């Protein structure tokens, strides 16, 4: 039986079948495509930073704690295309993958997540492709986050293109849990017994994280409600 080749060897074999001109054209196309995704990331990140600045003026606080961006590596793109049974080319990347460009927005409170998502989607140059609400309906392992697949136009010197970006919005507690879960399980070869035991423990942690979010939200609602009442009383004196 033929020995299984690595993904890298398969890609190299495919390239060897093409002429230098064809390889140059493929490379140029991929470079241009990655440029589109980088530009789209900048556009989305700028939109959120503008919203944060505006909302900080009107609400006297910044709803966004931090913004993280990620451009999927070419190796990860190749591996995902292979899992999906798609050829390694620009058309497959554009049409078959929605997470090449990623923007993650970390908020303090759950209602900020939905408020920011609503503000983004109301903008007339944003098209919602897909939404997955893992906050209201968490994954079985306890993962929580709001995922949006959007399309945004980018403007270059000689063209306009619509590019897909995956936007994740979550609270600090959700981000902490997800990061720790990823670090412990990513590329770790664990026995089934350990996986079963730790999955149960991680789910319990996720539930505690959810409870923390809800309690902190309730505390903020009380404080802001009291603040509103105090402001009304103060206004009535003048």
């Amino acid at each position: 039986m033929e020995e299984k080749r690595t993904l890298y060897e398969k890609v190299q074999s495919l390239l060897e079948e093409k002429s230098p001109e064809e390889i140059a054209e493929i490379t140029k196309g991929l470079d241009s495509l990655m440029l589109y995704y980088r530009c789209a990331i900048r556009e989305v990140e700028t939109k959120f930073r503008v919203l944060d600045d505006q909302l900080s003026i009107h609400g006297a606080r910044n709803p966004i704690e931090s913004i993280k961006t990620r451009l999927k590596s070419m190796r990860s793109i190749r591996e995902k295309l292979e899992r999906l049974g798609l050829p390694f080319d620009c058309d497959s990347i554009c049409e078959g993958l929605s997470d090449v460009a990623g923007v993650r927005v970390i908020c303090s409170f759950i209602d900020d997540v939905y408020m920011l998502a609503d503000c983004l989607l109301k903008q007339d140059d944003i098209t919602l492709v897909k939404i997955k609400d893992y906050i209201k309906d968490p994954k079985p392992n306890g993962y929580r986050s709001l995922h949006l697949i959007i399309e945004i136009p980018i403007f270059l010197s000689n063209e306009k293109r619509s590019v897909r970006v995956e936007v994740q919005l979550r609270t600090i507690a959700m981000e902490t849990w997800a990061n720790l879960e990823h670090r412990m399980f990513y590329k770790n070869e664990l026995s089934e017994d350990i996986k079963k035991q730790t999955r149960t423990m991680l789910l319990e942690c996720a539930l505690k994280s959810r409870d923390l979010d809800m309690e902190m939200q309730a505390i903020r609602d009380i404080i802001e409600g009291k603040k509103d009442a105090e402001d009304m009383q103060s206004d009535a004196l003048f």
Side-chain angles (χ1 to χ4, degrees):
M1 187 172 64
E2 182 183 356
E3 185 178 353
K4 185 177 179 181
R5 294 182 298 171
T6 66
L7 178 60
Y8 176 78
E9 290 170 337
K10 292 177 184 178
V11 173
Q12 287 297 106
S13 177
L14 289 173
L15 290 178
E16 287 171 1
E17 299 171 3
K18 300 185 181 296
S19 68
E21 292 77 14
E22 289 175 317
I23 293 175
E25 189 65 27
I26 292 171
T27 302
K28 181 180 178 181
L30 291 173
D31 287 344
S32 296
L33 187 57
M34 292 301 104
L35 170 65
Y36 300 149
Y37 283 119
R38 286 196 298 272
C39 292
I41 286 173
R42 292 192 191 106
E43 291 284 348
V44 175
E45 181 180 11
T46 298
K47 284 180 176 293
F48 277 115
R49 294 202 181 281
V50 169
L51 284 171
D52 192 48
D53 287 344
Q54 180 200 6
L55 293 167
S56 68
I57 294 174
H58 295 290
R61 65 180 181 84
N62 296 83
I64 297 176
E65 289 293 326
S66 64
I67 299 176
K68 300 179 180 179
T69 63
R70 183 265 302 141
L71 182 65
K72 210 173 190 69
S73 70
M74 196 57 64
R75 178 182 178 85
S76 295
I77 290 173
R78 289 196 301 261
E79 290 174 344
K80 188 163 187 178
L81 287 175
E82 184 178 68
R83 290 197 302 271
L84 295 173
L86 297 173
F88 179 55
D89 56 38
C90 291
D91 289 340
S92 294
I93 294 173
C94 292
E95 298 171 12
L97 304 182
S98 297
D99 61 346
V100 176
V103 176
R104 183 180 301 160
V105 181
I106 315 301
C107 308
S108 298
F109 302 96
I110 294 176
D111 65 351
D112 288 336
V113 167
Y114 291 104
M115 179 268 294
L116 287 167
D118 185 56
C119 288
L120 177 70
L121 296 178
K122 282 181 178 178
Q123 299 186 19
D124 58 14
D125 59 343
I126 294 292
T127 300
L128 177 64
V129 176
K130 190 174 184 180
I131 181 170
K132 289 185 178 180
D133 192 342
Y134 295 115
I135 298 176
K136 293 180 179 177
D137 186 20
K139 290 185 178 183
N141 67 344
Y143 174 87
R144 295 182 302 137
S145 186
L146 179 64
H147 289 200
L148 309 174
I149 304 297
I150 63 169
E151 287 188 351
I152 184 171
I154 61 167
F155 298 85
L156 302 174
S157 61
N158 58 344
E159 64 176 321
K160 170 187 174 183
R161 287 185 64 104
S162 183
V163 182
R164 287 193 178 186
V165 179
E166 181 186 53
V167 178
Q168 298 178 357
L169 299 105
R170 59 179 65 159
T171 64
I172 298 171
M174 297 174 198
E175 172 75 352
T176 300
W177 183 93
N179 282 341
L180 292 174
E181 191 271 348
H182 179 75
R183 288 188 182 186
M184 287 185 286
F185 277 85
Y186 184 61
K187 292 185 177 180
N188 275 341
E189 296 182 2
L190 304 173
S191 68
E192 287 302 317
D193 288 341
I194 292 178
K195 286 181 180 179
K196 183 177 180 180
Q197 180 183 4
T198 54
R199 283 191 189 121
T200 300
M201 296 172 69
L202 279 167
L203 180 57
E204 292 174 354
C205 290
L207 294 175
K208 293 176 182 177
S209 171
R210 178 203 62 188
D211 292 343
L212 175 63
D213 270 335
M214 295 177 66
E215 289 175 8
M216 296 302 290
Q217 180 69 57
I219 292 171
R220 198 194 77 169
D221 290 344
I222 292 172
I223 292 173
E224 292 197 343
K226 179 180 178 181
K227 178 182 177 182
D228 291 342
E230 290 175 346
D231 288 345
M232 290 175 64
Q233 291 176 357
S234 177
D235 292 339
L237 296 175
F238 296 94

